[in-house]
Amino acid sequence: MRKHIYVAYTGGTIGMKPSKNGFVPAEGYLSETLAKMPEFQRSEMPAFTIHEYDELLDSSDMSPADWQLIADDIDRHYDDYDGFIILHGTDTMAYTSSALSFMLEDLAKPVIVTGSQIPLAELRSDGQTNLLNALYIAANYPIPEVTLFFNNKLLRGNRARKVDADGFDAFDSPNFPVLLKAGINIEVNHDNVRRLATDPSFKTQARMRVSPVISQPIGLVSLYPGISADVVKNIIQQPVNALILLSYGVGNAPHNERLLEQLVNAQKQAIIVVNCTQCFRGKVNMSGYANGHILQDTGLISGGDMTPEATLAKLHYLLSKADLPIEKRKQLMMQDLRGELSRK
């Protein structure tokens, strides 16, 4: 039976049209463009339904409220389709794919986030390849995770990062292998997908449900040589519920007593402080160096090899669960929930 895929166009470059002020989203333009492309109508392709959102957003304007809108949209249509494509701008695509990976609990169908660097209707657009492959993969290689497809690579959504502002190979997964490569042959890395939809035991799970996310005040500080303790002090004086600290290397910080004092103060204020590395690859190991131990002694927790995008999304997810005590939230932050964190 021919699969049927739901395509949600939230905005972004892929469906934009030229104007005197540059490319802009335009109602109905994406559907009109696709209707003129016969390759999307071939018998080998799945059927698909496009839903263009009433307010098409540049992804720079995305917020947790928009993550909720997308998650609820998938929930409403979950039983009617075999898979879901989310068309999204590239700037915050990694944040949205990370957030959806946590919000969509007991997911048993593919959800692929994709977009393009050049609008679909323009010459040399990468949008045609990205969308066509995403549809084909959702129908024929149904990996039941939130993933991100770009430039012939399917990445785990909460492992993806935007790495190139204006190149076609815009996304990478620095600490986790690619799930699928779409070359002459489509190659699935079966050892790294969480579970295939064809696994009979997977179908016995409860229906997918959405865990609501409420926007949370979360601070983010990147350490740099000579950083003042007042930078952290001013942030934790605000009504923040969590702080992401981007530290050096494997989780090191300067031996600055005033700075460390502010991190201790954050713990006293029930602010969750997560230590993530500034490095593109690798993970936090605060026991490796003395200057990592000093951070560990303040009571902050390790982000391991989570991306900053996944860390932020996971904090929103856990902080939105009002019944969770803070120690449980800390425990879950250090636990692999959706493949976002390596266990070793």
Side-chain angles (χ1 to χ4, degrees):
M1 183 179 294
R2 194 180 187 195
K3 299 289 185 67
H4 197 172
I5 308 300
Y6 183 81
V7 180
Y9 176 45
T10 68
T13 299
I14 193 168
M16 290 185 176
K17 67 184 301 183
S19 75
K20 63 180 180 180
N21 295 319
F23 290 112
V24 294
E27 182 181 352
Y29 189 63
L30 176 71
S31 298
E32 291 173 12
T33 302
L34 283 173
K36 299 173 185 176
M37 294 182 166
E39 57 270 33
F40 284 91
Q41 318 305 325
R42 289 174 61 118
S43 60
E44 303 98 314
M45 291 294 291
F48 59 90
T49 296
I50 298 177
H51 172 208
E52 296 192 11
Y53 283 13
D54 293 335
E55 183 181 1
L56 297 175
L57 293 177
D58 184 300
S59 73
S60 298
D61 292 321
M62 279 279 170
S63 70
D66 298 301
W67 301 341
Q68 188 67 52
L69 182 71
I70 296 167
D72 289 342
D73 189 22
I74 293 171
D75 187 38
R76 281 192 301 272
H77 297 94
Y78 189 76
D79 298 322
D80 301 322
Y81 294 90
D82 299 295
F84 301 85
I85 306 293
I86 309 301
L87 297 179
H88 195 286
T90 60
D91 285 347
T92 61
M93 187 181 289
Y95 289 96
T96 296
S97 60
S98 292
L100 292 176
S101 77
F102 297 112
M103 296 172 71
L104 304 179
E105 299 185 344
D106 288 322
L107 180 64
K109 295 181 180 182
V111 175
I112 303 177
V113 185
T114 191
S116 68
Q117 295 283 60
I118 298 176
L120 185 65
E122 296 299 302
L123 185 67
R124 298 183 57 250
S125 173
D126 56 328
Q128 179 179 353
T129 299
N130 287 344
L131 179 53
L132 188 141
N133 275 285
L135 283 164
Y136 188 82
I137 289 165
N140 296 285
Y141 299 87
I143 295 172
E145 297 188 32
V146 177
T147 56
L148 188 155
F149 186 85
F150 224 87
N151 197 39
N152 297 316
K153 296 182 296 186
L154 187 72
L155 312 175
R156 175 164 292 159
N158 55 39
R159 292 285 194 158
R161 302 202 73 186
K162 187 173 183 182
V163 298
D164 195 330
D166 54 12
F168 286 148
D169 199 15
F171 289 87
D172 198 1
S173 178
N175 287 315
F176 195 77
V178 170
L179 296 180
L180 178 150
K181 291 182 180 179
I184 294 175
N185 298 308
I186 292 181
E187 302 173 4
V188 181
N189 190 341
H190 292 287
D191 292 337
N192 288 297
V193 298
R194 287 177 66 79
R195 193 182 289 177
L196 293 177
T198 51
D199 182 344
S201 65
F202 196 86
K203 298 176 182 178
T204 63
Q205 289 196 26
R207 181 195 182 276
M208 189 277 294
R209 63 190 184 281
V210 174
S211 182
V213 159
I214 301 169
S215 186
Q216 302 290 326
I218 297 172
L220 188 149
V221 173
S222 184
L223 294 180
Y224 55 86
I227 186 171
S228 169
D230 290 337
V231 172
V232 175
K233 180 181 179 180
N234 291 337
I235 289 176
I236 65 174
Q237 283 178 341
Q238 305 302 316
V240 298
N241 294 335
L243 174 67
I244 300 171
L245 184 72
L246 298 179
S247 60
Y248 303 133
V250 293
N252 300 322
H255 201 149
N256 179 326
E257 294 297 339
R258 290 191 62 236
L259 177 66
L260 298 172
E261 181 184 353
Q262 294 307 320
L263 295 176
V264 171
N265 288 339
Q267 312 298 310
K268 292 178 180 178
Q269 296 173 43
I271 296 171
I272 300 173
V273 185
V274 186
N275 185 10
C276 292
T277 177
Q278 295 176 10
C279 297
F280 185 63
R281 290 185 173 85
K283 64 180 179 180
V284 168
N285 175 17
M286 288 183 282
S287 62
Y289 294 88
N291 279 35
H293 267 289
I294 61 175
L295 278 183
Q296 195 169 33
D297 291 342
T298 68
L300 53 65
I301 61 177
S302 171
D305 62 354
M306 279 192 296
T307 66
E309 295 90 340
T311 304
L312 182 83
K314 191 173 182 180
L315 283 166
H316 272 93
Y317 167 71
L318 292 174
L319 289 167
S320 296
K321 293 181 178 292
D323 56 336
L324 282 181
I326 186 169
E327 289 306 318
K328 183 63 175 178
R329 289 190 177 116
K330 288 182 176 181
Q331 177 189 338
L332 291 172
M333 277 302 299
M334 295 185 289
Q335 182 178 327
D336 176 36
L337 303 181
R338 305 285 193 278
E340 77 283 358
L341 184 63
S342 298
R343 297 177 184 177
K344 294 182 180 179

